[in-house]
Amino acid sequence: MHSMKKVIGSIEFGILSPQEIRKMSAAEITVPDTYSEDGYPIDGGLMDRRLGVIDPNLRCETCGANYKECPGHFGHIELARPVIHVGFAKTIYRILESTCRECGRIRLTDEEIEEYMTKFNVNEARKSEIDALVTEVYKKARERMVCPHCGAPQYQIKFERPTIYWEIRRDEEGNEYRHRMMPSEIRDRLEKIPDKDLPLLGLDPEKSRPEWMVLTVLPVPPVTVRPSITLESGIRAEDDLTHKLVDIIRINARLKQNIEAGAPQLIIEDLWDLLQYHVTTYFDNETSGIPPAKHKSGRPLKTLAQRLKGKEGRFRKNLSGKRVNFSARTVISPDPMISINEVGVPLVVAMELTVPEKVTEFNIEKLRKMILNGPEKYPGANYVIDPQGRRIRLMESNKENIANMLDIGWTVERHLLDGDIVLFNRQPSLHRMSIMAHRVRVMPYKTFRLNLAVCPPYNADFDGDEMNLHVPQTEEAQAEARILMEVQNHILSPRYGGPIIGGIQDHISGGYLLTREGSYFTKYEVEQMLMFAGVDVKELPKPDKVENGIEYWSGKTIFSLLLPKDLTIWYRNKLCDDPSQCEPIEKLIEEKLVPSEEEIRKVATDGFVYIHNGKLLSGAIDKKAYGREDGKILDIIVREYGVERARQFLDQVTKLAIWVITHKGFTTGIDDEDLPDEAKARIREIIMEAEKKVQRLIEAYKNGELEPLPGKTLEETLESKIMAVLSEARDNAGKVAEKYLGMNNHTVIMAKTGARGKILNITQMAAMLGQQSIRGKRLYRGYRNRVLSHFKPGDLGARAKGFIVNSYKSGLSPQEYFFHAMGGREGLVDTAVRTAQSGYMQRRLINALQDLKVDYDGTVRDPTGIIVQFRYGEDGVDPMKSWGGKTVDVDRVIMRTLIKIREKG
Amino acid sequence: MTAKKTFTIFDQELVPEHRILSEEEKEELLKRYRVKLSQLPQIKASDPAVQALGAKPGDVIEIKRKSPTAGVYYYYRIVVED
């Protein structure tokens, strides 16, 4: 809590010099062993106590701390002969090629050096430019075969992966021969390069001298980096790195012995190469060109590079993504009774997650009570933090004592309470609406509960989905979540500027049942539904009609109670499939702007919504009212009355719709698709006609009478004409079915209001499935010249190539069933491929864009201040707050003003 | 034999208008956005539009683009060597 604050100004990378490695080393490691027989670390071995300890009973000999506090210390190995560092093998090659073999100068003339140096200074900021310059220098220097400084002839150098270098020399007769350059020779050459030439090679002489790329001393990482594990059987298993280091030390010792004993050059070079191999695989065990070092069991060792690389490596697994405290995860389930910005939290979770609350004179009594409740009784507390910053765990034994000591200045980590702000998330977190702030509602049982209207932004359903919950721990974080992240702030999507949170499924069907023409409710029902929806009405409006002495209210009147009192809007909704029905009312409104209620009622139709001053005068509610993606009323409420009002509206309207739909009854089954015999006969006729037409087309094709369409072959022309005939047949069959299924049919209500499904789905259930296709073509693969063996080869007819005349209700024939499976498979493959591809695209896009931000002057810049756009989106408009992409909706402003003027008279 | 045809890329309707900024305009731009020259988006000297204008490295080009959102949008790029 009270640690020293340090700020990282910048990070620079360099290469460790031998001196530095020795300086930071706590011990030289010479013994290729870890533990002695009595189980203690061997001095000078790889588990030397000076490198830190992992045994709880031992103390570190360098810092004197125990295993918990000692961070570990580096050691070192003095290599008998230098070896190449694989990571720099390519760089070494590049440097050797661009410097002189005699004097070590870069192979550029003094004028060229001068010229490039000035260019370097001009392009201070951009890394890409410097990189480009360095490659340019390299290309130029490599071509020069005589040193411009000392005049020495240069030889070509060959690099053999991973760490072998050859010089192609010439003897006196001019014959070429290859000279193997050993690391010591390479190191000598690199040492000769003067500091002043290094910047042109892309190196900083202070931080990375080239000869440091050839290792003479090898750092040994602390024991804490490579802990050994004791298995249950009592056998000690060493880390992969330790194994590798053992190999290195062993070969190193042998090499040293042989050199000292004056062994033949050949043997020494063999051992040297072996040492090189071990050091190479110690750094990277996936180096191409050499076999990976294996464990006794045959498993390749995980060495340094493998620890860092890839999705499971240190960077992506542990640094870009970390595990966090104060979070919970469990299965989700729906609760239509809670608000869209609430989340139901199980009691057990609420007692585990805590919020730190500072003790003030206003909350001390409340917090004292919570401390007395302790960690086991809700609402209690788990920890307290005293003014010295000590964390004390609350237990049955000490809670009373602590409650007495509690004073202003303490902090109590209390259980989650109703109204606390938490972040709620479902993976994959593809857009910002995947993490939103909700208010806590502590509930019994063990699932997170969420309102159905927030399923779309999370893309959640309840077939076993799990979600995560995080508790912000500071006041700043809580305030930020409240202001920026709460659900109601995300009703409008920044993607298309319309609502992404809105009524779904039964909310829409219910809204329709409530508001369609001829829908009336008794006083009892009205009271019930308003109470259920939580609408606060002081007095019911006048009843719309009285029949046999009973008062009735229309659904439109009730719906109007939820609307803001001065809301005016009109639009054609989804039910308006015949424009001539809607034209009269639209004309009337646009001409008069403030027509009288009687006039409107005369031309009112379900297909045209007209709301004047918060009164629904015409039209039924469907998806276009408050559904997701195109809820116009919801859209207007968010923009003109604010997100809080929109949240309230959405909460009330969904509950109201649910009351109506549960009390009216809404169900669907296969008998919804029952068609009268005459309809079935009509559909049969349509099919027969279509098949005849197809036959005629095939005849024409066979007789060569078919005229090819422009840009198509004769066969393609035939195919597209057949497809057109068949899809028209299906459409016609659908229209017949539609004609016999009216607005009292629940499937039709769902399809037409946009609650669920399309008319096409009804067509496929009631009339026929129609043509099955793969990649937009009729089915053609399978047997030779036919799809199934039930047809004649070369049959071009409708039924032979996947035209299904049956409906889901009438049942498919075996052939049709197979065709349907073929078409269905394409859809499945498509979704699988699409998610994989779009996931990868998402990753690439995010990596490219993640650090861009909009500055206060409206420009889009990268972190170094380079401008990407001079104005965000070229117009500086926040798509979430715009009107269909524009800053203001001029038409609406004019309309509202005109209405105001006319109303005043 | 055929008359030598002069071809300017700016006649193409998809090529937006380009213009070299004067020294004063350049100063003004840098001050307005509080940037160094190196923080402007770049355009290579080998770019056909830059060559047609005859701009030199170090010049700043103003590009008047048509924008689906803003109508007209001005973009500034500094000419760099390639």
PDB file of all heavy atoms in Angstrom, chain A residues 455-484:
ATOM      1  N   CYS A 455     -29.198  -9.524 -23.462  1.00  0.00           N
ATOM      2  CA  CYS A 455     -28.569 -10.687 -24.100  1.00  0.00           C
ATOM      3  C   CYS A 455     -27.873 -10.348 -25.422  1.00  0.00           C
ATOM      4  O   CYS A 455     -26.765 -10.799 -25.646  1.00  0.00           O
ATOM      5  CB  CYS A 455     -29.602 -11.791 -24.315  1.00  0.00           C
ATOM      6  SG  CYS A 455     -30.040 -12.607 -22.789  1.00  0.00           S
ATOM      7  N   PRO A 456     -28.499  -9.546 -26.295  1.00  0.00           N
ATOM      8  CA  PRO A 456     -27.831  -9.297 -27.586  1.00  0.00           C
ATOM      9  C   PRO A 456     -26.424  -8.688 -27.483  1.00  0.00           C
ATOM     10  O   PRO A 456     -25.518  -9.195 -28.136  1.00  0.00           O
ATOM     11  CB  PRO A 456     -28.806  -8.373 -28.320  1.00  0.00           C
ATOM     12  CG  PRO A 456     -30.123  -8.657 -27.710  1.00  0.00           C
ATOM     13  CD  PRO A 456     -29.845  -8.993 -26.284  1.00  0.00           C
ATOM     14  N   PRO A 457     -26.199  -7.620 -26.690  1.00  0.00           N
ATOM     15  CA  PRO A 457     -24.828  -7.097 -26.671  1.00  0.00           C
ATOM     16  C   PRO A 457     -23.800  -8.107 -26.166  1.00  0.00           C
ATOM     17  O   PRO A 457     -22.666  -8.105 -26.631  1.00  0.00           O
ATOM     18  CB  PRO A 457     -24.905  -5.881 -25.753  1.00  0.00           C
ATOM     19  CG  PRO A 457     -26.148  -6.040 -24.989  1.00  0.00           C
ATOM     20  CD  PRO A 457     -27.079  -6.790 -25.863  1.00  0.00           C
ATOM     21  N   TYR A 458     -24.180  -8.947 -25.227  1.00  0.00           N
ATOM     22  CA  TYR A 458     -23.240  -9.966 -24.744  1.00  0.00           C
ATOM     23  C   TYR A 458     -23.254 -11.193 -25.652  1.00  0.00           C
ATOM     24  O   TYR A 458     -22.426 -12.078 -25.506  1.00  0.00           O
ATOM     25  CB  TYR A 458     -23.616 -10.424 -23.336  1.00  0.00           C
ATOM     26  CG  TYR A 458     -23.410  -9.404 -22.258  1.00  0.00           C
ATOM     27  CD1 TYR A 458     -24.479  -8.929 -21.501  1.00  0.00           C
ATOM     28  CD2 TYR A 458     -22.134  -8.919 -21.974  1.00  0.00           C
ATOM     29  CE1 TYR A 458     -24.291  -8.003 -20.493  1.00  0.00           C
ATOM     30  CE2 TYR A 458     -21.942  -7.994 -20.977  1.00  0.00           C
ATOM     31  CZ  TYR A 458     -23.024  -7.545 -20.235  1.00  0.00           C
ATOM     32  OH  TYR A 458     -22.825  -6.628 -19.247  1.00  0.00           O
ATOM     33  N   ASN A 459     -24.230 -11.266 -26.535  1.00  0.00           N
ATOM     34  CA  ASN A 459     -24.466 -12.465 -27.343  1.00  0.00           C
ATOM     35  C   ASN A 459     -24.652 -13.688 -26.445  1.00  0.00           C
ATOM     36  O   ASN A 459     -24.104 -14.747 -26.679  1.00  0.00           O
ATOM     37  CB  ASN A 459     -23.328 -12.675 -28.339  1.00  0.00           C
ATOM     38  CG  ASN A 459     -23.697 -13.708 -29.381  1.00  0.00           C
ATOM     39  OD1 ASN A 459     -24.872 -14.026 -29.561  1.00  0.00           O
ATOM     40  ND2 ASN A 459     -22.685 -14.242 -30.051  1.00  0.00           N
ATOM     41  N   ALA A 460     -25.425 -13.506 -25.387  1.00  0.00           N
ATOM     42  CA  ALA A 460     -25.592 -14.571 -24.400  1.00  0.00           C
ATOM     43  C   ALA A 460     -26.908 -15.296 -24.602  1.00  0.00           C
ATOM     44  O   ALA A 460     -27.892 -14.721 -25.068  1.00  0.00           O
ATOM     45  CB  ALA A 460     -25.561 -13.969 -22.994  1.00  0.00           C
ATOM     46  N   ASP A 461     -26.925 -16.572 -24.298  1.00  0.00           N
ATOM     47  CA  ASP A 461     -28.178 -17.295 -24.107  1.00  0.00           C
ATOM     48  C   ASP A 461     -28.014 -18.147 -22.853  1.00  0.00           C
ATOM     49  O   ASP A 461     -27.016 -18.041 -22.165  1.00  0.00           O
ATOM     50  CB  ASP A 461     -28.559 -18.121 -25.351  1.00  0.00           C
ATOM     51  CG  ASP A 461     -27.421 -18.975 -25.834  1.00  0.00           C
ATOM     52  OD1 ASP A 461     -26.674 -19.496 -24.979  1.00  0.00           O
ATOM     53  OD2 ASP A 461     -27.259 -19.110 -27.063  1.00  0.00           O
ATOM     54  N   PHE A 462     -29.001 -18.976 -22.554  1.00  0.00           N
ATOM     55  CA  PHE A 462     -28.969 -19.646 -21.258  1.00  0.00           C
ATOM     56  C   PHE A 462     -28.839 -21.149 -21.409  1.00  0.00           C
ATOM     57  O   PHE A 462     -29.338 -21.919 -20.608  1.00  0.00           O
ATOM     58  CB  PHE A 462     -30.207 -19.247 -20.461  1.00  0.00           C
ATOM     59  CG  PHE A 462     -30.334 -17.759 -20.352  1.00  0.00           C
ATOM     60  CD1 PHE A 462     -31.297 -17.075 -21.070  1.00  0.00           C
ATOM     61  CD2 PHE A 462     -29.450 -17.044 -19.557  1.00  0.00           C
ATOM     62  CE1 PHE A 462     -31.385 -15.698 -21.000  1.00  0.00           C
ATOM     63  CE2 PHE A 462     -29.536 -15.668 -19.477  1.00  0.00           C
ATOM     64  CZ  PHE A 462     -30.507 -14.992 -20.188  1.00  0.00           C
ATOM     65  N   ASP A 463     -28.146 -21.582 -22.455  1.00  0.00           N
ATOM     66  CA  ASP A 463     -27.970 -23.021 -22.653  1.00  0.00           C
ATOM     67  C   ASP A 463     -26.717 -23.515 -21.930  1.00  0.00           C
ATOM     68  O   ASP A 463     -26.128 -24.529 -22.287  1.00  0.00           O
ATOM     69  CB  ASP A 463     -27.925 -23.366 -24.141  1.00  0.00           C
ATOM     70  CG  ASP A 463     -26.806 -22.661 -24.872  1.00  0.00           C
ATOM     71  OD1 ASP A 463     -26.018 -21.944 -24.203  1.00  0.00           O
ATOM     72  OD2 ASP A 463     -26.710 -22.813 -26.096  1.00  0.00           O
ATOM     73  N   GLY A 464     -26.286 -22.777 -20.912  1.00  0.00           N
ATOM     74  CA  GLY A 464     -25.116 -23.181 -20.154  1.00  0.00           C
ATOM     75  C   GLY A 464     -24.017 -22.147 -20.201  1.00  0.00           C
ATOM     76  O   GLY A 464     -22.912 -22.389 -19.732  1.00  0.00           O
ATOM     77  N   ASP A 465     -24.289 -20.981 -20.783  1.00  0.00           N
ATOM     78  CA  ASP A 465     -23.298 -19.901 -20.838  1.00  0.00           C
ATOM     79  C   ASP A 465     -22.857 -19.511 -19.429  1.00  0.00           C
ATOM     80  O   ASP A 465     -23.650 -19.502 -18.505  1.00  0.00           O
ATOM     81  CB  ASP A 465     -23.888 -18.659 -21.514  1.00  0.00           C
ATOM     82  CG  ASP A 465     -24.110 -18.869 -22.995  1.00  0.00           C
ATOM     83  OD1 ASP A 465     -24.239 -20.033 -23.404  1.00  0.00           O
ATOM     84  OD2 ASP A 465     -24.152 -17.865 -23.732  1.00  0.00           O
ATOM     85  N   GLU A 466     -21.567 -19.149 -19.325  1.00  0.00           N
ATOM     86  CA  GLU A 466     -21.072 -18.609 -18.070  1.00  0.00           C
ATOM     87  C   GLU A 466     -20.597 -17.190 -18.305  1.00  0.00           C
ATOM     88  O   GLU A 466     -20.196 -16.839 -19.403  1.00  0.00           O
ATOM     89  CB  GLU A 466     -19.908 -19.444 -17.545  1.00  0.00           C
ATOM     90  CG  GLU A 466     -20.331 -20.836 -17.103  1.00  0.00           C
ATOM     91  CD  GLU A 466     -19.164 -21.596 -16.477  1.00  0.00           C
ATOM     92  OE1 GLU A 466     -18.506 -21.055 -15.587  1.00  0.00           O
ATOM     93  OE2 GLU A 466     -18.925 -22.724 -16.923  1.00  0.00           O
ATOM     94  N   MET A 467     -20.669 -16.365 -17.248  1.00  0.00           N
ATOM     95  CA  MET A 467     -20.172 -14.992 -17.390  1.00  0.00           C
ATOM     96  C   MET A 467     -19.313 -14.608 -16.196  1.00  0.00           C
ATOM     97  O   MET A 467     -19.376 -15.226 -15.139  1.00  0.00           O
ATOM     98  CB  MET A 467     -21.335 -14.012 -17.567  1.00  0.00           C
ATOM     99  CG  MET A 467     -21.917 -14.049 -18.977  1.00  0.00           C
ATOM    100  SD  MET A 467     -23.281 -12.943 -19.245  1.00  0.00           S
ATOM    101  CE  MET A 467     -22.465 -11.362 -19.259  1.00  0.00           C
ATOM    102  N   ASN A 468     -18.500 -13.572 -16.391  1.00  0.00           N
ATOM    103  CA  ASN A 468     -17.580 -13.119 -15.351  1.00  0.00           C
ATOM    104  C   ASN A 468     -18.066 -11.821 -14.734  1.00  0.00           C
ATOM    105  O   ASN A 468     -18.691 -11.012 -15.401  1.00  0.00           O
ATOM    106  CB  ASN A 468     -16.198 -12.865 -15.929  1.00  0.00           C
ATOM    107  CG  ASN A 468     -15.727 -14.015 -16.759  1.00  0.00           C
ATOM    108  OD1 ASN A 468     -15.968 -15.168 -16.410  1.00  0.00           O
ATOM    109  ND2 ASN A 468     -15.098 -13.710 -17.879  1.00  0.00           N
ATOM    110  N   LEU A 469     -17.710 -11.631 -13.482  1.00  0.00           N
ATOM    111  CA  LEU A 469     -18.103 -10.429 -12.771  1.00  0.00           C
ATOM    112  C   LEU A 469     -16.887  -9.897 -12.022  1.00  0.00           C
ATOM    113  O   LEU A 469     -16.143 -10.666 -11.412  1.00  0.00           O
ATOM    114  CB  LEU A 469     -19.228 -10.795 -11.794  1.00  0.00           C
ATOM    115  CG  LEU A 469     -19.849  -9.687 -10.978  1.00  0.00           C
ATOM    116  CD1 LEU A 469     -21.350  -9.826 -11.048  1.00  0.00           C
ATOM    117  CD2 LEU A 469     -19.406  -9.761  -9.540  1.00  0.00           C
ATOM    118  N   HIS A 470     -16.666  -8.593 -12.126  1.00  0.00           N
ATOM    119  CA  HIS A 470     -15.511  -7.975 -11.463  1.00  0.00           C
ATOM    120  C   HIS A 470     -15.990  -6.832 -10.580  1.00  0.00           C
ATOM    121  O   HIS A 470     -16.870  -6.077 -10.970  1.00  0.00           O
ATOM    122  CB  HIS A 470     -14.536  -7.422 -12.490  1.00  0.00           C
ATOM    123  CG  HIS A 470     -13.972  -8.465 -13.405  1.00  0.00           C
ATOM    124  ND1 HIS A 470     -12.781  -9.088 -13.154  1.00  0.00           N
ATOM    125  CD2 HIS A 470     -14.448  -8.997 -14.550  1.00  0.00           C
ATOM    126  CE1 HIS A 470     -12.546  -9.958 -14.118  1.00  0.00           C
ATOM    127  NE2 HIS A 470     -13.552  -9.926 -14.978  1.00  0.00           N
ATOM    128  N   VAL A 471     -15.377  -6.706  -9.407  1.00  0.00           N
ATOM    129  CA  VAL A 471     -15.770  -5.633  -8.499  1.00  0.00           C
ATOM    130  C   VAL A 471     -14.697  -4.550  -8.490  1.00  0.00           C
ATOM    131  O   VAL A 471     -13.585  -4.796  -8.022  1.00  0.00           O
ATOM    132  CB  VAL A 471     -15.954  -6.177  -7.072  1.00  0.00           C
ATOM    133  CG1 VAL A 471     -16.496  -5.087  -6.170  1.00  0.00           C
ATOM    134  CG2 VAL A 471     -16.862  -7.376  -7.078  1.00  0.00           C
ATOM    135  N   PRO A 472     -14.999  -3.349  -9.012  1.00  0.00           N
ATOM    136  CA  PRO A 472     -14.010  -2.261  -8.961  1.00  0.00           C
ATOM    137  C   PRO A 472     -13.714  -1.917  -7.497  1.00  0.00           C
ATOM    138  O   PRO A 472     -14.623  -1.823  -6.682  1.00  0.00           O
ATOM    139  CB  PRO A 472     -14.704  -1.095  -9.666  1.00  0.00           C
ATOM    140  CG  PRO A 472     -15.836  -1.689 -10.407  1.00  0.00           C
ATOM    141  CD  PRO A 472     -16.224  -2.935  -9.668  1.00  0.00           C
ATOM    142  N   GLN A 473     -12.415  -1.707  -7.183  1.00  0.00           N
ATOM    143  CA  GLN A 473     -12.012  -1.603  -5.780  1.00  0.00           C
ATOM    144  C   GLN A 473     -11.760  -0.180  -5.310  1.00  0.00           C
ATOM    145  O   GLN A 473     -11.603   0.059  -4.135  1.00  0.00           O
ATOM    146  CB  GLN A 473     -10.751  -2.446  -5.557  1.00  0.00           C
ATOM    147  CG  GLN A 473     -10.999  -3.927  -5.710  1.00  0.00           C
ATOM    148  CD  GLN A 473     -11.811  -4.499  -4.563  1.00  0.00           C
ATOM    149  OE1 GLN A 473     -11.430  -4.373  -3.407  1.00  0.00           O
ATOM    150  NE2 GLN A 473     -12.936  -5.105  -4.877  1.00  0.00           N
ATOM    151  N   THR A 474     -11.673   0.772  -6.221  1.00  0.00           N
ATOM    152  CA  THR A 474     -11.429   2.141  -5.767  1.00  0.00           C
ATOM    153  C   THR A 474     -12.607   3.021  -6.138  1.00  0.00           C
ATOM    154  O   THR A 474     -13.389   2.688  -7.022  1.00  0.00           O
ATOM    155  CB  THR A 474     -10.168   2.727  -6.427  1.00  0.00           C
ATOM    156  OG1 THR A 474     -10.377   2.771  -7.834  1.00  0.00           O
ATOM    157  CG2 THR A 474      -8.946   1.897  -6.117  1.00  0.00           C
ATOM    158  N   GLU A 475     -12.722   4.156  -5.449  1.00  0.00           N
ATOM    159  CA  GLU A 475     -13.815   5.078  -5.764  1.00  0.00           C
ATOM    160  C   GLU A 475     -13.705   5.573  -7.197  1.00  0.00           C
ATOM    161  O   GLU A 475     -14.702   5.749  -7.880  1.00  0.00           O
ATOM    162  CB  GLU A 475     -13.800   6.271  -4.805  1.00  0.00           C
ATOM    163  CG  GLU A 475     -14.472   6.003  -3.479  1.00  0.00           C
ATOM    164  CD  GLU A 475     -13.494   5.536  -2.416  1.00  0.00           C
ATOM    165  OE1 GLU A 475     -12.280   5.514  -2.703  1.00  0.00           O
ATOM    166  OE2 GLU A 475     -13.945   5.192  -1.314  1.00  0.00           O
ATOM    167  N   GLU A 476     -12.473   5.816  -7.645  1.00  0.00           N
ATOM    168  CA  GLU A 476     -12.297   6.300  -9.021  1.00  0.00           C
ATOM    169  C   GLU A 476     -12.842   5.276 -10.011  1.00  0.00           C
ATOM    170  O   GLU A 476     -13.574   5.614 -10.940  1.00  0.00           O
ATOM    171  CB  GLU A 476     -10.813   6.522  -9.348  1.00  0.00           C
ATOM    172  CG  GLU A 476     -10.169   7.673  -8.644  1.00  0.00           C
ATOM    173  CD  GLU A 476      -9.398   7.185  -7.430  1.00  0.00           C
ATOM    174  OE1 GLU A 476      -9.981   6.366  -6.671  1.00  0.00           O
ATOM    175  OE2 GLU A 476      -8.260   7.607  -7.236  1.00  0.00           O
ATOM    176  N   ALA A 477     -12.473   4.021  -9.807  1.00  0.00           N
ATOM    177  CA  ALA A 477     -12.908   2.967 -10.725  1.00  0.00           C
ATOM    178  C   ALA A 477     -14.422   2.839 -10.691  1.00  0.00           C
ATOM    179  O   ALA A 477     -15.069   2.668 -11.730  1.00  0.00           O
ATOM    180  CB  ALA A 477     -12.250   1.652 -10.361  1.00  0.00           C
ATOM    181  N   GLN A 478     -14.997   2.943  -9.483  1.00  0.00           N
ATOM    182  CA  GLN A 478     -16.451   2.810  -9.379  1.00  0.00           C
ATOM    183  C   GLN A 478     -17.153   3.959 -10.081  1.00  0.00           C
ATOM    184  O   GLN A 478     -18.132   3.757 -10.808  1.00  0.00           O
ATOM    185  CB  GLN A 478     -16.868   2.760  -7.909  1.00  0.00           C
ATOM    186  CG  GLN A 478     -16.535   1.428  -7.264  1.00  0.00           C
ATOM    187  CD  GLN A 478     -16.542   1.501  -5.747  1.00  0.00           C
ATOM    188  OE1 GLN A 478     -16.968   2.494  -5.167  1.00  0.00           O
ATOM    189  NE2 GLN A 478     -16.046   0.451  -5.116  1.00  0.00           N
ATOM    190  N   ALA A 479     -16.613   5.170  -9.906  1.00  0.00           N
ATOM    191  CA  ALA A 479     -17.227   6.331 -10.551  1.00  0.00           C
ATOM    192  C   ALA A 479     -17.122   6.212 -12.058  1.00  0.00           C
ATOM    193  O   ALA A 479     -18.082   6.479 -12.794  1.00  0.00           O
ATOM    194  CB  ALA A 479     -16.549   7.604 -10.075  1.00  0.00           C
ATOM    195  N   GLU A 480     -15.977   5.782 -12.507  1.00  0.00           N
ATOM    196  CA  GLU A 480     -15.779   5.643 -13.953  1.00  0.00           C
ATOM    197  C   GLU A 480     -16.762   4.628 -14.529  1.00  0.00           C
ATOM    198  O   GLU A 480     -17.383   4.857 -15.565  1.00  0.00           O
ATOM    199  CB  GLU A 480     -14.336   5.204 -14.215  1.00  0.00           C
ATOM    200  CG  GLU A 480     -13.899   5.422 -15.632  1.00  0.00           C
ATOM    201  CD  GLU A 480     -12.392   5.292 -15.778  1.00  0.00           C
ATOM    202  OE1 GLU A 480     -11.680   5.936 -14.985  1.00  0.00           O
ATOM    203  OE2 GLU A 480     -11.957   4.561 -16.659  1.00  0.00           O
ATOM    204  N   ALA A 481     -16.904   3.507 -13.837  1.00  0.00           N
ATOM    205  CA  ALA A 481     -17.841   2.479 -14.296  1.00  0.00           C
ATOM    206  C   ALA A 481     -19.258   3.029 -14.327  1.00  0.00           C
ATOM    207  O   ALA A 481     -20.015   2.814 -15.272  1.00  0.00           O
ATOM    208  CB  ALA A 481     -17.762   1.256 -13.394  1.00  0.00           C
ATOM    209  N   ARG A 482     -19.631   3.787 -13.283  1.00  0.00           N
ATOM    210  CA  ARG A 482     -20.988   4.341 -13.210  1.00  0.00           C
ATOM    211  C   ARG A 482     -21.246   5.301 -14.351  1.00  0.00           C
ATOM    212  O   ARG A 482     -22.311   5.302 -14.946  1.00  0.00           O
ATOM    213  CB  ARG A 482     -21.166   5.105 -11.894  1.00  0.00           C
ATOM    214  CG  ARG A 482     -21.514   4.230 -10.732  1.00  0.00           C
ATOM    215  CD  ARG A 482     -22.519   4.925  -9.812  1.00  0.00           C
ATOM    216  NE  ARG A 482     -23.253   3.926  -9.062  1.00  0.00           N
ATOM    217  CZ  ARG A 482     -22.796   3.380  -7.936  1.00  0.00           C
ATOM    218  NH1 ARG A 482     -21.635   3.758  -7.439  1.00  0.00           N
ATOM    219  NH2 ARG A 482     -23.502   2.456  -7.316  1.00  0.00           N
ATOM    220  N   ILE A 483     -20.258   6.139 -14.646  1.00  0.00           N
ATOM    221  CA  ILE A 483     -20.501   7.196 -15.624  1.00  0.00           C
ATOM    222  C   ILE A 483     -20.377   6.678 -17.053  1.00  0.00           C
ATOM    223  O   ILE A 483     -21.171   7.024 -17.919  1.00  0.00           O
ATOM    224  CB  ILE A 483     -19.532   8.369 -15.374  1.00  0.00           C
ATOM    225  CG1 ILE A 483     -19.888   9.038 -14.056  1.00  0.00           C
ATOM    226  CG2 ILE A 483     -19.599   9.382 -16.510  1.00  0.00           C
ATOM    227  CD1 ILE A 483     -18.818   9.934 -13.515  1.00  0.00           C
ATOM    228  N   LEU A 484     -19.390   5.832 -17.299  1.00  0.00           N
ATOM    229  CA  LEU A 484     -19.122   5.454 -18.689  1.00  0.00           C
ATOM    230  C   LEU A 484     -19.678   4.088 -19.075  1.00  0.00           C
ATOM    231  O   LEU A 484     -20.000   3.866 -20.236  1.00  0.00           O
ATOM    232  CB  LEU A 484     -17.611   5.434 -18.946  1.00  0.00           C
ATOM    233  CG  LEU A 484     -16.861   6.737 -18.733  1.00  0.00           C
ATOM    234  CD1 LEU A 484     -15.374   6.492 -18.835  1.00  0.00           C
ATOM    235  CD2 LEU A 484     -17.304   7.765 -19.746  1.00  0.00           C
TER     236      LEU A 484
END
